[in-house]
Amino acid sequence: MSGTALFSFGPKDNDPALPYPKSVPDASCGYGELTEKEFPGFKLVGISPKSELKARAMGGCGSCIEIKCADKKYCSATTPTQVVMIYDTCDKCAAKELNVNARVFEALAPLSLGRVDVQYRQVACPFKGNITVRVTDYRTASGGWLRLGVRNVAGDGDLTMVELAKAGSGAWIRMNNTYGANWELSKLPTPPFDVRLTTKAGKTTVLSAAVKTPGATGSFPTTAQFKA
């Protein structure tokens, strides 16, 4: 598709010689604060509520798109194409406007432009390493309640189902996608928990004993990943 790239979270006065922010705050997908260690180059994008990509699972959160600068007069000679992950909604953006992180924009074209014509398409996410489970809320009383999200999901990122089970039991319970990339469940089984992820294409992977300690929140590494 053809569209326009804008940017946010740039250096002061949009001067690339000045320092860039070292982290990106939590956004509508609910991934929490993101650091450059997790997302080198902050290859992130916010999409319009009217974007066709919003029709994907989780409202597009976690899907990746390849953006190519289309204005040859200004495009970078070395990095005119960038792959970014959807992590936010840009409420002020038109349907085909993409609000990329300033570092991504600078790789495409000079920041001084403010906006540039692009072409973009959905692609597989090329994440390295394994999936991380991020638990934001975990109540053990009154039957229990858990809210979690998953980061660093390679492949199409189009998660249509997240399930929870007592580790090793295979008794899967479907979680509810309440907003963005966050999934919730009440009336929990006995921990530790296995987590099973399913994509729209029907691919599955199991995160074994991904949540171990009752009541514990935070980010927990796993040993599983989809093939990109």
Side-chain angles (χ1 to χ4, degrees):
M1 292 181 282
S2 296
T4 304
L6 320 171
F7 70 86
S8 56
F9 299 110
K12 183 178 180 182
D13 299 324
N14 295 329
D15 182 351
L18 296 176
Y20 282 77
K22 294 183 179 180
S23 64
V24 175
D26 193 13
S28 66
C29 287
Y31 287 113
E33 183 180 56
L34 302 177
T35 66
E36 190 169 17
K37 181 179 180 180
E38 294 174 291
F39 289 86
F42 286 119
K43 295 190 176 184
L44 303 165
V45 62
I47 60 173
S48 168
K50 299 179 181 179
S51 171
E52 293 180 18
L53 293 163
K54 276 290 184 181
R56 292 178 63 79
M58 302 191 300
C61 294
S63 295
C64 289
I65 56 176
E66 181 184 65
I67 303 174
K68 181 180 180 181
C69 179
D71 190 334
K72 295 183 179 180
K73 182 178 179 180
Y74 297 106
C75 293
S76 166
T78 56
T79 56
T81 301
Q82 297 285 302
V83 175
V84 294
M85 185 192 80
I86 298 171
Y87 86 111
D88 195 13
T89 301
C90 176
D91 291 324
K92 296 182 179 180
C93 287
K96 294 186 178 181
E97 287 183 330
L98 304 172
N99 185 27
V100 300
N101 186 274
R103 298 193 193 201
V104 174
F105 191 99
E106 186 187 13
L108 296 170
L111 285 179
S112 57
L113 291 178
R115 57 195 296 130
V116 69
D117 292 338
V118 296
Q119 292 179 325
Y120 63 99
R121 61 179 180 175
Q122 189 267 322
V123 296
C125 292
F127 294 130
K128 298 178 181 179
N130 294 321
I131 294 168
T132 297
V133 173
R134 177 175 177 263
V135 177
T136 54
D137 297 278
Y138 187 174
R139 186 184 70 220
T140 57
S142 302
W145 175 71
L146 179 72
R147 177 191 288 151
L148 60 78
V150 289
R151 291 184 182 178
N152 209 51
V153 179
D156 64 17
D158 207 11
L159 295 180
T160 55
M161 186 162 56
V162 175
E163 298 165 286
L164 196 75
K166 177 181 178 181
S169 72
W172 297 107
I173 306 171
R174 187 166 184 165
M175 302 185 76
N176 298 310
N177 183 205
T178 48
Y179 74 95
N182 285 268
W183 299 77
E184 299 180 13
L185 183 67
S186 57
K187 298 182 180 179
L188 303 175
T190 304
F193 304 136
D194 291 340
V195 179
R196 183 166 68 179
L197 311 179
T198 303
T199 69
K200 186 176 181 179
K203 295 179 180 180
T204 63
T205 190
V206 174
L207 315 179
S208 298
V211 183
K212 296 181 175 67
T213 306
T217 59
S219 295
F220 306 110
T222 75
T223 57
Q225 181 59 279
F226 291 102
K227 292 183 179 180

